[in-house]
Amino acid sequence: MSDIASVSIARPLSEVSEEIGRSFEEYGFAVIRDHGIPADLIARAEDLSKAFFALPDAVKRAYHVPGGGGARGYTPFGTEKAKDAEVHDLKEFWHVGRSLPEGHPLSEFMAPNIWPAEIDGFRETFEALYAAFEQAGGRVLEAIALHLGLERTWFAPTVEDGNSVMRLLHYPPLTGVDAEGAIRAAAHGDINTITLLLGAEEAGLELLTAGGEWKAIDVPEGALVVNIGDMLERLTNGKLRSTTHRVVNPRGEAAYRSRYSMPFFLHFRPDFTIETLESCIDPDAPGDHPEPISSHDFLMQRLREINLA
């Protein structure tokens, strides 16, 4: 069994698409190096994220949008829970989405962003990071398209003005004897197309292999972890796997520290129909694939399941 691919996307995609694709088929995950997101932008974003989460609770809660499904602004500690999980996850987060121009046809699907007035440079930094994530994600999707035998740019119109969300995550420090090895984010799959994660260098991210074992993901400093979401699994009829994963508290001293990360949930356009690719339909079982569904309807269905809609 080969390991999770760790690939530089500064190389020609034709040279790396097979390795990336194999890793997504086997594990649903790949580690992406040389992704083009500037290190100084990442460092600035990490500092501002920590500064926001250090604000008093009452200040943060003023940015919570009741009834907004957590799509924008602040979601307090203990709101979200994994599908079928009994307990809420030990995290708080902030969401930045796409800023659409006034009167845009998709604006009914995407609320305007809100920005914390207390943190200087927050908006500029995270708008820049959102754009950089989107560019890196587009390149990964080009590699996936080549692996699937599609035109390299096949995904570009499917994700243009997509409902992608960047999440700033804070898992506060745990205390007490149970902290070591505690589950910080319960086992779950992602709903979207692909997820790009910054800040996974700290041990704790694990995926569930096809054989039913938890496998730790080892991430070099500054690399992105990319995983397949349910929408892309559905589009490819399970050829690319949306793998269950979780965040486990490390052992030792790191168990008692805060953990921060920044996932970017890249989404199809809300009006894109997720319809199984012909190349992913088994000729011996032509009816054996999911029904077409719009990405917006699929998203709403799943958000209800995780307590966010």
Side-chain angles (χ1 to χ4, degrees):
M1 189 184 229
S2 43
D3 208 1
I4 297 165
S6 178
V7 177
S8 163
I9 55 168
R11 290 171 57 196
L13 293 182
S14 54
E15 293 175 14
V16 296
S17 63
E18 280 318 295
E19 194 181 346
I20 291 173
R22 173 205 53 75
S23 196
F24 285 144
E25 286 190 24
E26 198 170 317
Y27 292 109
F29 273 79
V31 173
I32 303 294
R33 305 189 315 276
D34 308 321
H35 44 69
I37 304 177
D40 60 335
L41 176 60
I42 294 170
R44 203 158 71 238
E46 286 174 344
D47 288 347
L48 293 180
S49 173
K50 287 176 183 173
F52 172 77
F53 289 120
L55 290 171
D57 207 40
V59 173
K60 291 186 288 191
R61 282 178 181 271
Y63 292 104
H64 177 54
V65 183
R72 299 290 184 269
Y74 178 65
T75 297
F77 196 49
T79 302
E80 187 182 45
K81 59 179 188 170
K83 185 183 172 193
D84 304 329
E86 294 302 311
V87 293
H88 292 75
D89 283 346
L90 306 175
K91 65 191 183 194
E92 56 178 344
F93 53 87
W94 178 277
H95 273 173
V96 176
R98 183 178 303 287
S99 297
L100 290 173
E102 190 130 345
H104 190 285
L106 293 175
S107 49
E108 63 173 298
F109 300 107
M110 293 175 234
N113 274 306
I114 54 179
W115 303 102
E118 292 76 9
I119 310 283
D120 285 342
F122 192 95
R123 176 177 184 162
E124 296 72 14
T125 300
F126 286 107
E127 283 185 335
L129 185 60
Y130 187 102
F133 259 129
E134 200 160 46
Q135 206 169 350
R139 193 151 168 84
V140 174
L141 286 173
E142 288 186 358
I144 290 171
L146 291 175
H147 175 70
L148 293 171
L150 301 167
E151 282 287 316
R152 194 176 110 161
T153 56
W154 189 91
F155 283 102
T158 74
V159 297
E160 187 188 349
D161 292 334
N163 195 6
S164 301
V165 173
M166 178 167 61
R167 174 180 285 186
L168 318 182
L169 251 176
H170 173 221
Y171 300 95
L174 301 181
T175 54
V177 289
D178 299 330
E180 295 194 35
I183 306 289
R184 275 184 154 168
H188 65 285
D190 290 347
I191 302 170
N192 45 295
T193 309
I194 56 173
T195 300
L196 297 88
L197 175 67
L198 275 175
E201 295 94 342
E202 176 113 42
L205 181 63
E206 298 182 342
L207 67 85
L208 192 60
T209 66
E213 287 168 8
W214 287 105
K215 179 179 175 65
I217 302 172
D218 187 29
V219 188
E221 183 76 34
L224 277 175
V225 176
V226 178
N227 65 277
I228 301 296
D230 296 346
M231 292 182 182
L232 195 52
E233 178 178 85
R234 191 178 178 111
L235 185 80
T236 62
N237 202 18
K239 183 179 169 77
L240 302 182
R241 299 181 53 210
S242 174
T243 307
T244 298
H245 51 285
R246 66 182 185 182
V247 178
V248 176
N249 219 12
R251 304 269 160 194
E253 183 203 342
Y256 303 98
R257 289 200 296 262
S258 274
R259 180 190 180 98
Y260 298 90
S261 66
M262 291 184 285
F264 184 81
F265 301 107
L266 195 150
H267 277 263
F268 290 127
R269 297 168 59 92
D271 56 1
F272 173 69
T273 301
I274 304 171
E275 188 170 357
T276 304
L277 295 167
E278 269 181 50
S279 61
C280 297
I281 294 174
D282 179 354
D284 297 333
D288 188 12
H289 57 86
E291 289 291 295
I293 185 172
S294 82
S295 71
H296 179 71
D297 288 347
F298 184 73
L299 175 65
M300 289 298 109
Q301 194 177 303
R302 294 297 308 279
L303 287 178
R304 284 190 286 274
E305 290 169 354
I306 61 166
N307 213 33
L308 283 183

